[in-house]
Amino acid sequence: MPSPHLRLPLSRRGFLTASAGTALALAPFPARAAARPCPFGRYGSPAARLTPQTRYVDQSGQGDFTTVQAAVTAATGSGWTLVIAPGTYRETVAVDVTRTEMTWLGAGGDPRDVVIVYDNAAGTPKPGGGTYGTTGSATTLVQADGFTARDLTFANDWLRADHPGISGTQAVAIKVQGDRSAFHHCRFLGHQDTLYADSMALGVFARQYFAHCYAEGDVDFVFGRATAVYEHCHFRTLTRTDLSSAPYGFVFAPSTAGSNPRGYLVTRSRITSEAPDAYYKLARPWVPSSDPTAHPSLTVRDTHLGPGIDAVAPYTNMSESFPWQEQRFAEYRNTGPGAKITVPENRPQLTAVQAESATREAYLGDWTPWKGGR
C-alpha cells in the first residue's frame, strides 16, 4: 500500500476551485510555506548549499530562482539538484536531453506542498497558430536520462467543461522520455493522458520507476511506450458529468514497441474510484499511427482492484484492428472486487513460473532506483 507519508490522496477536485468564466486555480497552496523563515527545510539554502551543484527555487525570492524553468535553463550539463520551496508554480517546464542526472526535491517533504501545474490541452490554440498536440500539452517534459523527482506534484488542470469547443482533450501533466527516470512520493493529476511514460524513439527502451506515487484521471491516464514499473502506487479513476453511461475511461494504455520485451509492470499497488462501480476498464492497447508494429505490454500483479474496475470485461480495444486479446496483457494474484474472475477468457493470468520474470529486477536490469541509485 502507498506510504503513510502520502497521507490520504487529495484529488484535483479537492484542491482545485473555479468560478464561472475563469480558469481553475489551486486553492490551498502554499499554506505551510508562508510560516517558514527558510522555505527549504532540511535541504539547506543558497547560503548553505547541499552541494556546489544545488540550486534553490522559491517564488518569494529566497532562492536562486523564482521559477522552475529558470533554474533548469541555468543548470547546464549534468548532475544538478533543484530544491523547490513549497508553492504552486504555474508554468511549463522542459528538461532537454543535455541536462542528465538531474534531481528535483520538493522541500516541503509532502508531495502536496510543491505543485507544478499548467492548463494546455492538445486542442489548445498556440499563439503562433495551430494547436499544442498531446506532447505539446505537457506541463512538464523530461527528456534527459537519469532524472529523479521526490515529493512533488505534477498537474494539468485543463477541464473539458471549461472548453466545450475543443475536441483535442488530451492534457498531459508530465511526459517522461529519459532512461533511468525515477519518481518517489510524487503525484500526477489530470484527466485525459495524465502520465505519459514514454521514450525518445521506437528503438530506445527507456526504463522508468514510480514508487509510492499517486496518479488520477479518466481516459488513458497512464500511457506510453516506456518500460515502466509502478510499485506501491495508487491509481484513482475520476467521475464524469459529461457521460451518462459506462465506460468512463481506461487506466492504462501502453504502446510498447514490438521489439521491447517489457512494457508496464504494476505491482503491490491499488486502484480506487470516485465513479460508479464497473465504469472503468483496466486497460486498452494503444497502437499509434507512428508505430503500427507496436505490441502493447501490461502486467498487473499483487494489486488491489476496487469496484470501479469492470471485472467482467476489464480490457477493451482502442482500435478493432488491434484487438486486446492479441496484445501482451496479463494479471497475477490481484485482489478486490475489480479482480474477480467471472469470465476467464477476459482475464489472462500469468502462471507461477511466468510471474518469476514479472519483477522490477527483470524489468529494470542493473538499475536499482529502489535502493536510492540511478
Side-chain angles (χ1 to χ4, degrees):
M1 295 296 97
S3 165
H5 178 75
L6 285 178
R7 303 177 191 170
L8 292 176
L10 182 65
S11 87
R12 290 175 73 247
R13 286 177 174 77
F15 71 78
L16 297 178
T17 58
S19 57
T22 64
L24 293 176
L26 289 157
F29 297 99
R32 280 181 280 248
R36 289 183 176 177
C38 175
F40 305 110
R42 62 190 177 95
Y43 293 117
S45 69
R49 299 184 189 278
L50 291 180
T51 70
Q53 282 192 287
T54 301
R55 294 295 179 266
Y56 296 85
V57 182
D58 175 45
Q59 290 176 325
S60 70
Q62 296 186 63
D64 301 301
F65 305 93
T66 58
T67 69
V68 180
Q69 184 60 66
V72 170
T73 300
T76 58
S78 183
W80 290 90
T81 294
L82 304 187
V83 179
I84 308 173
T88 299
Y89 296 81
R90 180 163 287 278
E91 57 177 302
T92 59
V93 186
V95 182
D96 67 29
V97 296
T98 68
R99 290 166 166 80
T100 57
E101 313 303 326
M102 178 175 280
T103 297
W104 293 6
L105 303 174
D110 185 307
R112 296 175 296 182
D113 289 337
V114 181
V115 180
I116 302 171
V117 60
Y118 209 72
D119 60 349
N120 283 329
T124 300
K126 295 173 67 175
T131 57
Y132 283 98
T134 300
T135 293
S137 75
T139 297
T140 301
L141 173 65
V142 177
Q143 297 180 314
D145 292 343
F147 180 85
T148 299
R150 295 179 183 274
D151 300 319
L152 297 168
T153 291
F154 300 90
N156 189 317
D157 59 359
W158 189 92
L159 288 179
R160 301 180 186 94
D162 293 344
H163 306 277
I166 291 181
S167 58
T169 56
Q170 301 89 344
V172 178
I174 187 170
K175 180 173 183 177
V176 187
Q177 295 178 283
D179 184 39
R180 295 178 294 105
S181 299
F183 296 81
H184 303 271
H185 300 283
C186 289
R187 296 192 309 159
F188 307 95
L189 310 181
H191 280 265
Q192 183 171 351
D193 292 7
T194 304
L195 172 54
Y196 196 169
D198 205 52
S199 71
M200 287 297 291
L202 290 179
V204 177
F205 304 155
R207 295 165 297 172
Q208 299 171 12
Y209 180 67
F210 301 83
H212 302 282
C213 290
Y214 172 81
E216 69 177 27
D218 48 41
V219 177
D220 305 331
F221 65 93
V222 181
F223 74 114
R225 64 173 174 241
T227 295
V229 174
Y230 305 88
E231 185 171 41
H232 296 297
C233 289
H234 180 185
F235 305 92
R236 185 161 179 80
T237 60
L238 301 176
T239 195
R240 297 183 64 171
T241 59
D242 58 319
L243 297 179
S244 58
S245 61
Y248 276 178
F250 323 89
V251 182
F252 303 100
S255 58
T256 320
S259 57
N260 188 348
R262 297 179 178 89
Y264 286 179
L265 172 65
V266 180
T267 179
R268 294 184 287 179
S269 295
R270 61 177 171 139
I271 299 175
T272 64
S273 182
E274 63 178 42
D277 291 356
Y279 266 51
Y280 272 86
K281 303 294 186 181
L282 183 60
R284 63 177 182 171
W286 177 32
V287 179
S289 58
S290 60
D291 180 21
T293 65
H295 195 192
S297 171
L298 167 70
T299 294
V300 181
R301 63 170 299 171
D302 300 298
T303 289
H304 184 87
L305 309 182
I309 298 299
D310 180 358
V312 175
Y315 305 103
T316 191
N317 299 332
M318 186 176 295
S319 166
E320 296 302 319
S321 300
F322 304 100
W324 72 264
Q325 293 90 342
E326 297 180 5
Q327 312 310 321
R328 295 175 285 177
F329 285 179
E331 301 177 54
Y332 184 68
R333 294 193 315 196
N334 293 324
T335 60
K340 185 177 181 181
I341 300 175
T342 58
V343 183
E345 59 266 34
N346 288 346
R347 309 297 301 249
Q349 302 289 311
L350 296 179
T351 66
V353 172
Q354 290 171 329
E356 291 178 359
S357 61
T359 64
R360 64 187 183 185
E361 290 83 0
Y363 274 61
L364 302 181
D366 59 357
W367 180 48
T368 57
W370 56 89
K371 297 180 179 179
R374 284 188 287 180

